[in-house]
């Protein structure tokens, strides 16, 4: 009886997708006033790739190169394989100086040294004994030494790239095809290291407001997604924390200790690290230069498509295609509504019975998110910047933030601070207080003063509860004063 080993499965590599779609989800707990952390985005994305692949008959390992480095392997779904998916793996061993050293332990390399004084370069055989953390130790014909500690410009030259190292992140799946065929495969997966935010720009044109919104797309991964269909989702989804996939090797460290001693109380000397690490393997390439930190596409494009319902959250499609660049961010149009009606309100939130002496108030534009008022679309949370026409130019008059606003709700857009409308509050006996509003403007003003906190017990004639807070709303004539006494 003869036992033969089963043949090894064929390996098929798909270097890049034919088309790609990226749906970005915001960082769940980032406040609207806090900008996106470009260096470490805390949101995530659903990436969907379409690839054309030729499969052999029988079992094969299919390697998807170029997936996002922040991929969550257990979320990956592959559709279109005739034999289904037998197994899937995420290869964390990416090509790097540290991974090269780690993958070549015990093997021979070429140590290239250049004499700093004469400039003479020489090559010698060496064997890597330890590394990459805590320093790299090699054995040369002259003995055992730490790399970079001989006072020469050292570099390592590798004959080949270790077989288990990849220049790009790789997701591999094992499949069993009943016949040889060419198929279209769709790969979908969740990946961390993404985020997005909205930025509203309002322009006052008389009694109407033109509202435009940019969306800032952020990608903290080392992989970019060119010419992608991009969508963003507004709203908070329930998401449990997922431990990130740790890299197979840490950063390369070169450490030197005082020569000829192991005494720990001597001061450590610092030597210059190796200047280069050369790889002669065919997979080594020159990385592209990093993109600029932000790209603003001008002029402003036409109005984007209306948002779509996605359960209880909203989905916004970015018109056309966009590039979600590596380690960067860009801005694309999110929505545009012209001729929106608004009312100007002078507003200040006051603490119960806290003394105030002629305090300034905030100016806000109250906008009803209704179609009758020129809006009536879901608005994602973001920052606001308000401009007003002044001659041939526009001047900034206020900035602020807003939370997610559904159709039918009211939003407030910050428009600065006024010292022409003043608020005074005086404590009175028996748990009472007096509010006084003075209008020095030449026109009547609408004033709102929320008193206390949501659910607080404040009593007075004419108060109404707005967003859970008892609020005094009053219109004050030019040069006039209004007074309210309330109990708490």
């Amino acid at each position: 009886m003869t036992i033969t080993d089963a043949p090894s499965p064929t390996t098929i590599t798909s270097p890049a997708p034919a088309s790609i779609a990226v749906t970005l989800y915001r960082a769940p707990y980032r406040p609207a006033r806090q900008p996106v952390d470009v260096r470490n985005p805390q949101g995530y994305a659903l990436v969907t790739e379409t690839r054309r692949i030729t499969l052999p008959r029988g079992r094969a390992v299919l390697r998807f190169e170029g997936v996002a480095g922040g991929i969550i392997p257990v979320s990956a779904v592959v559709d279109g394989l005739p034999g289904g998916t037998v197994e899937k793996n995420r290869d964390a061993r990416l090509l790097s100086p540290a991974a090269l050293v780690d993958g070549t332990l015990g093997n021979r390399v070429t140590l290239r040294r250049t004499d700093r004084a004469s400039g003479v370069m020489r090559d010698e055989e060496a064997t890597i004994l330890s590394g990459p953390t805590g320093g790299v130790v090699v054995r040369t014909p002259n003995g055992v030494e730490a790399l970079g500690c001989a006072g020469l410009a050292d570099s390592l030259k590798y004959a080949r790239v270790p077989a288990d190292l990849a220049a790009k992140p790789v997701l591999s799946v094992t499949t069993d095809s009943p016949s040889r065929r060419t198929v279209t495969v769709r790969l979908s997966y969740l990946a961390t290291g993404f985020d997005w935010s909205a930025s509203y720009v309002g322009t006052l044109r008389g009694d109407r407001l033109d509202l435009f919104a940019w969306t800032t797309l952020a990608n903290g991964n080392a992989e970019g997604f060119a010419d992608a269909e991009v969508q963003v989702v507004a709203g908070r989804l329930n998401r449990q924390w997922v431990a990130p996939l740790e890299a197979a090797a840490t950063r390369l460290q070169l450490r030197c200790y005082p020569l000829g001693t192991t005494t720990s109380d001597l001061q450590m000397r610092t030597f210059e690290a190796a200047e280069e690490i050369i790889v002669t393997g065919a997979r080594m390439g020159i990385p592209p230069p990093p993109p600029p930190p932000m790209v603003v596409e001008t002029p402003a494009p036409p109005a984007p498509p209306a948002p779509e319902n996605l359960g209880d959250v909203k989905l916004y499609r970015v018109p056309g295609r966009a590039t979600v660049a590596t380690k960067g961010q860009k801005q694309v149009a999110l929505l545009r509504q012209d001729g929106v009606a608004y009312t100007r309100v002078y507003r200040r939130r006051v603490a119960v019975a806290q003394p105030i002496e002629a305090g300034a108030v905030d100016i806000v534009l109250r906008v009803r998110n209704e179609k009758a008022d020129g809006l009536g679309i879901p608005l994602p949370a973001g920052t606001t910047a308000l401009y007003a026409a002044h001659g041939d130019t526009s001047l900034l008059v206020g900035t602020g933030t807003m939370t997610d606003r559904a159709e039918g709700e009211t939003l407030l857009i910050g428009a600065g601070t006024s010292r022409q409308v003043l608020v005074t509050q005086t404590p009175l006996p028996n748990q009472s207080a007096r509010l006084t509003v003075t209008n020095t403007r030449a026109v009547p003003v609408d004033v709102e003063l929320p008193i206390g906190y949501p659910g607080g017990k404040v009593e007075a004639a004419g108060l109404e509860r707005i967003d859970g807070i008892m609020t005094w709303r009053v219109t004050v004539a030019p040069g006039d004063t209004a007074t309210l006494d309330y109990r708490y």
Side-chain angles (χ1 to χ4, degrees):
M1 179 177 180
T2 302
I3 299 177
T4 58
D5 294 334
S8 300
T10 305
T11 299
I12 307 298
T13 299
S14 174
S19 63
I20 191 166
V22 182
T23 302
L24 285 80
Y25 296 80
R26 296 181 307 199
Y29 303 106
R30 175 177 55 80
R33 63 180 179 274
Q34 181 178 326
V36 171
D37 185 350
V38 183
R39 295 185 178 181
N40 185 28
Q42 295 297 305
Y44 53 102
L46 172 64
V47 182
T48 302
E49 305 176 352
T50 301
R51 304 187 184 222
R52 192 72 175 165
I53 300 167
T54 299
L55 296 173
R57 182 177 181 276
R59 181 157 294 200
V61 175
L62 181 56
R63 290 167 51 88
F64 296 98
E65 289 189 344
V67 297
I71 183 174
I72 302 174
V74 295
S75 70
V77 177
V78 184
D79 295 322
L81 293 177
T85 301
V86 179
E87 179 183 288
K88 60 184 177 181
N89 298 281
R90 162 69 168 95
D91 190 351
R93 294 183 61 82
L94 293 180
L95 189 63
S96 69
L100 278 171
V101 171
D102 187 56
T104 320
L105 289 178
N107 296 325
R108 290 187 176 183
V109 294
T110 300
L111 180 58
R112 175 168 294 177
R113 287 179 162 173
T114 303
D115 188 276
R116 296 186 184 276
S118 64
V120 176
M121 182 185 299
R122 72 175 189 270
D123 290 347
E124 59 184 45
E125 295 298 318
T127 301
I128 299 180
L129 300 181
S130 69
T133 60
V136 180
V137 177
V138 297
R139 178 186 287 115
T140 69
N142 297 322
V144 177
E145 60 180 279
L147 186 66
C149 299
L152 304 176
D154 296 340
S155 63
L156 294 178
K157 182 179 178 182
Y158 300 82
R160 61 184 179 276
V161 177
D164 59 345
L165 288 185
K168 307 175 186 177
V170 174
L171 176 74
S172 63
V173 299
T174 302
T175 186
D176 200 339
S177 178
S179 62
R180 177 181 174 85
R181 63 182 68 180
T182 299
V183 297
T184 298
V185 175
R186 186 176 66 180
L187 168 65
S188 300
Y189 59 89
L190 292 175
T192 59
F194 294 87
D195 202 355
W196 74 275
S197 65
S199 302
Y200 295 88
V201 179
T203 304
L204 291 174
R205 303 191 187 281
D207 61 350
R208 293 283 166 167
L209 172 70
D210 291 347
L211 193 62
F212 188 86
W214 296 102
T215 177
T216 300
L217 311 175
N219 176 16
N221 290 267
E223 298 72 40
F225 303 93
D227 198 28
E229 296 179 13
V230 179
Q231 305 168 126
V232 296
V233 174
R236 179 180 294 180
L237 278 71
N238 182 46
R239 179 171 181 263
Q240 299 296 325
W241 182 82
V242 177
L245 191 66
E246 296 294 337
T250 58
R251 293 186 59 186
L252 181 65
Q253 299 180 22
L254 302 180
R255 294 181 180 177
C256 302
Y257 294 91
L259 300 179
T261 180
T262 57
T263 307
S264 60
D265 58 354
L266 294 180
Q267 182 179 2
M268 181 180 293
R269 296 174 59 192
T270 302
F271 292 83
E272 184 174 350
E275 293 182 348
E276 60 176 341
I277 292 183
I278 301 173
V279 180
T280 58
R283 285 184 286 167
M284 187 64 177
I286 300 176
M294 180 177 291
V295 178
V296 179
E297 299 186 357
T298 55
E308 305 170 25
N309 290 325
L310 186 64
D312 288 341
V313 297
K314 299 296 179 181
L315 181 142
Y316 298 80
R317 297 183 185 272
V318 173
R321 292 180 175 267
T323 295
V324 185
T326 171
K327 296 290 185 181
Q329 62 176 322
K330 73 179 306 177
Q331 288 182 319
V332 293
L334 179 65
L335 56 87
R336 175 179 176 180
Q337 293 290 119
D338 294 338
V340 179
Y342 69 89
T343 55
R344 186 185 299 267
V345 178
Y346 293 80
R347 195 171 190 272
R348 174 166 175 160
R349 186 167 177 173
V350 298
V352 172
Q354 180 185 45
I356 301 174
E357 182 63 35
V361 296
D362 296 326
I363 309 171
V364 297
L365 304 186
R366 171 176 279 112
V367 178
R368 294 193 313 160
N369 195 2
E370 303 278 2
K371 295 187 183 300
D373 290 342
L375 202 53
I377 56 176
L379 300 173
T383 60
T384 62
L386 184 65
Y387 293 83
H390 185 76
D392 296 333
T393 185
S394 295
L395 298 178
L396 178 68
V397 295
T399 60
T401 61
M402 73 178 204
T403 58
D404 291 326
R405 300 278 93 180
E407 184 176 353
E409 290 189 303
T410 298
L411 58 135
L412 301 176
I413 299 177
T417 302
S418 174
R419 291 291 304 177
Q420 294 180 290
V421 179
L422 303 175
V423 174
T424 297
Q425 180 166 249
T426 305
L428 300 176
N430 301 319
Q431 291 185 305
S432 300
R434 174 171 296 162
L435 280 170
T436 303
V437 179
T438 302
N439 176 23
T440 63
R441 297 197 62 193
V443 294
V445 296
D446 294 326
V447 180
E448 284 186 6
L449 301 179
I451 306 171
Y453 53 89
K457 295 183 178 180
V458 176
E459 298 176 352
L463 293 183
E464 57 182 297
R465 192 175 294 276
I466 301 176
D467 295 332
I469 304 177
M470 298 304 295
T471 303
W472 181 31
R473 302 179 68 176
V474 61
T475 299
V476 185
D480 202 358
T481 297
T483 300
L484 171 75
D485 288 350
Y486 68 88
R487 291 179 55 83
Y488 59 90

